[in-house]
Amino acid sequence: MSALLALCSSLLWGTSDFVAGLRSRTLPPAAVVGWSQLVGLTSLSVIVLAGHPLTGTAWIPWAVAAGAIGSVALAAFYAALSTGTMGVVAPIAALGAAVPVILGVIGGDDPSPLAWVGMAVAVAGAVLASGPELRGGLPARPIVLAAVAAVGFGLVLFLISRGSRESLVSTLWGMRLTSTTLYAVVALARRTLGGVGRRDWPALVLVGVADLAANALFALAATQGMVSVASVLGSLYPVVTILLARAVLGERLAGIQNVGVLLSLVGVVVLASG
């Protein structure tokens, strides 16, 4: 059951990323993040009111920091997906899994040799996957945005892990409240709602609900089974994004890029298992 839940979280995360990247081709990425986060906040608020009240206050600084950093990371990621090759962008963003490991080392943790091998393989794969994009004269901006997203996602994972020691639900709720508030302030300052129309709402609701459900399924998988197994299976979400981009958009990568993408995914899995 734990493995199935973790796989379902990967399916939802990968689908959410693909839909958000696709929608960001017609809407500002910030608008996609802001409105989908509002959907997530609304859903979580219902859960809180239904019987999971907010507890304590120790989670608040972690949630606020995660919400602020996550807002920037998601906007960068969606912008990268909308302007770059999704099959390259998604694995690069997944490299954020290395950030909590590095922060843990700074804090005194001692990762296994397998974790270090995973990081090295993942980085090498990212270089192979993105190299032809840059040498081919394509803009470097999507690659840079994906790298920014990776760092941001890694920091968010670290912050959520600290906040969840007090309360996971409270941390996720506070994170989405922070991101929604930030984008509301930006919308008021710019006097625009991002051009969102009635036809955009199904996709935005899907992104917000799928992302929230993926977080919940992964947390449930980690509590019902081995965290290492859940982490490995939960880290496979870029595969879903890549397959959807191939099936729906007809994306095709060069041979060396396919090798790079595969290495990145293997590296992330090895890192998670380590």
Side-chain angles (χ1 to χ4, degrees):
M1 179 59 70
S2 175
L4 180 60
L5 291 173
L7 282 174
C8 287
S9 72
S10 276
L11 177 62
L12 289 173
W13 265 323
T15 303
S16 172
D17 291 343
F18 174 77
V19 174
L22 205 57
R23 188 52 54 184
S24 295
R25 296 185 174 186
T26 56
L27 294 173
V32 176
V33 177
W35 286 110
S36 62
Q37 288 291 293
L38 177 60
V39 171
L41 174 63
T42 303
S43 304
L44 262 178
S45 296
V46 172
I47 294 174
V48 169
L49 292 173
H52 292 274
L54 305 178
T55 58
T57 58
W59 54 269
I60 293 177
W62 303 109
V64 171
I69 294 173
S71 298
V72 176
L74 278 175
F77 185 44
Y78 293 169
L81 288 171
S82 66
T83 57
T85 303
M86 289 190 181
V88 175
V89 168
I92 292 177
L95 296 179
V99 175
V101 178
I102 296 172
L103 291 176
V105 170
I106 295 174
D109 290 348
D110 185 20
S112 68
L114 195 60
W116 292 110
V117 170
M119 279 192 283
V121 172
V123 171
V127 172
L128 290 176
S130 59
E133 297 276 308
L134 302 178
R135 289 197 301 272
L138 296 177
R141 185 171 179 268
I143 304 298
V144 174
L145 288 172
V148 171
V151 175
F153 290 157
L155 290 173
V156 167
L157 287 174
F158 177 79
L159 293 167
I160 289 177
S161 69
R162 292 300 185 268
S164 61
R165 294 177 179 179
E166 174 80 12
S167 170
L168 176 61
V169 172
S170 299
T171 302
L172 293 178
W173 182 86
M175 176 183 171
R176 278 164 176 76
L177 176 62
T178 300
S179 59
T180 302
T181 301
L182 287 175
Y183 280 108
V185 171
V186 172
L188 288 172
R190 295 187 173 182
R191 298 182 179 181
T192 177
L193 296 178
V196 175
R198 186 177 302 174
R199 291 182 300 176
D200 299 313
W201 273 108
L204 295 175
V205 170
L206 173 62
V207 172
V209 173
D211 179 60
L212 178 60
N215 279 281
L217 288 175
F218 178 77
L220 191 58
T223 56
Q224 289 195 355
M226 294 179 61
V227 176
S228 58
V229 174
S231 298
V232 171
L233 297 178
S235 66
L236 295 176
Y237 65 90
V239 175
V240 179
T241 305
I242 293 169
L243 292 178
L244 285 173
R246 188 179 183 90
V248 178
L249 302 178
E251 280 193 358
R252 294 295 184 270
L253 304 180
I256 190 65
Q257 287 180 298
N258 285 317
V259 173
V261 168
L262 180 60
L263 281 177
S264 290
L265 295 173
V266 169
V268 170
V269 170
V270 171
L271 171 60
S273 63

